[in-house]
Amino acid sequence: MDGEAQISIDVLTSLSQIEAAEWDSCACPEGETGRPRDPFTTHRFLHALEASGSVGPGTGWQPRYLVARHEDQAVACAPLYAKGHSQGEYIFDHNWAHAYENAGGEYYPKLQLAVPFTPATGRRFLTRPGWDSTGIAALLQGSVQLAVDNELSSLHVTFCTEDEAIAGEKIGLMRRWSQQFHWQNDDYADFDAFLATLSSRKRKNIRKERARAQAFGGNIVSLSGDAIQPEHWDAFWHFYQDTGARKWGTPYLTRAFFDIAQDMLADDMLLCLAIRDGHPVAGALNFIGAETLYGRYWGCVEDHPCLHFELCYYQAIDFAIANGMARVEAGAQGGHKLARGYMPVTTHSLHWVRDAGFAEAIGRYLQAERAAVDEEIEVLTKYGPFKRAHVEEQE
């Protein structure tokens, strides 16, 4: 339990060096009796990334998982990576890297405490119940010390919880505010009940979009667990490659990831497919948490009006309402989500930079950035699709 305790820190280069049950006793203890809060820090998800070659040699993501132990028992752990670039993070520090290197420093490698390729808020300092404060402190101090001992430029903790951000700030890390769009479930009985809270114009527009999408000439299905078949992954891989090539140049996940996901993560996923003439033509992949549905990837081989909105946003809302989920996180960026009921929220990250002068400059930048983020969220909220009475009720 929390209090005076001797804690040791192990650095693992592979999840094969720790049993799944031991890692998950910290990462998702709630999973013993139900679904994890989110699947992204579970042993099975992180192992799928590693085993598929999506992280590891040649990817710029070298595992350096942290495990804090007390008397040979894991009491806390964290997904930590040595990074050779800034790709796949979604909290952008490319300008920091350029400035650091222009000043004569070496920004890479750096340490990234995060879930690779996953801009979803969740715990990053994973603690066994009863070890919250001790475990978080040990992991924070351990990750900074690892950067110091290896003379690395920086440590970045991305998409952590607000409580973790506050804890990190208290010990001297810099806190960064960012913004995403999330849909919140106000105990809606069905999709029409959600629409009833919107302004008339927005409500009509969404109904038109759904009608246009449904008229693409086929059927839309939502699949999870054993209902997801290998041929579905074959199709989705083509979708994912197309989107990845256009957005990132090279897709982050390997084909093997989806095969491993079929074996290890099928119950954690919701795959929404548009099928025409017996063949999938578009799809959206979501991951299922205890209270949140996480939209992750989308792609298509045919363009149909509004099908992207239907598969990525409206099908997700339908699923969340039907399953009593509190929210849908629709991933990074995307102001077009606002008109579809996804409202701006604050996300958090922590940053430590070894060079004191550079850290001071970044600190000033983050103060100005925070004010800009707060202002943007305030403005966007005013332009949201909800009736004024509904907004005032939520406030």
Side-chain angles (χ1 to χ4, degrees), residues 74-208:
V75 297
C77 57
L80 182 67
Y81 299 84
K83 288 294 305 297
H85 51 64
S86 291
Q87 304 301 317
E89 297 168 10
Y90 302 95
I91 299 294
F92 302 114
D93 65 345
H94 299 86
N95 289 338
W96 300 1
H98 293 157
Y100 200 88
E101 291 174 352
N102 287 339
E106 294 185 5
Y107 195 73
Y108 305 109
K110 62 177 182 175
L111 289 181
Q112 192 80 20
L113 204 158
V115 179
F117 330 123
T118 307
T121 293
R123 293 191 309 145
R124 296 295 174 260
F125 303 100
L126 314 169
T127 58
R128 184 184 288 269
W131 287 90
D132 294 3
S133 60
T134 300
I136 290 174
L139 293 171
L140 275 166
Q141 294 168 10
S143 55
V144 170
Q145 192 62 50
L146 186 64
V148 171
D149 291 346
N150 289 277
E151 299 184 347
L152 302 182
S153 69
S154 53
L155 163 72
H156 309 268
V157 184
T158 45
F159 295 101
C160 59
T161 67
E162 184 175 11
D163 287 343
E164 290 173 330
I166 292 171
E169 193 173 32
K170 286 180 178 178
I171 71 165
L173 276 72
M174 295 178 287
R175 184 177 175 189
R176 189 177 190 182
W177 278 253
S178 302
Q179 176 252 312
Q180 283 186 344
F181 294 92
H182 297 174
W183 180 85
Q184 303 289 335
N185 187 357
D186 191 20
D187 294 325
Y188 299 119
D190 51 30
F191 196 90
D192 283 339
F194 156 61
L195 289 180
T197 65
L198 306 183
S199 67
S200 175
R201 185 168 62 88
K202 297 298 185 182
R203 183 167 61 247
K204 290 178 181 177
N205 184 63
I206 289 177
R207 284 178 172 152
K208 288 179 180 178

Side-chain angles (χ1 to χ4, degrees), residues 279-292:
H279 301 287
V281 298
L285 178 61
N286 307 268
F287 282 83
I288 307 169
E291 295 184 348
T292 305

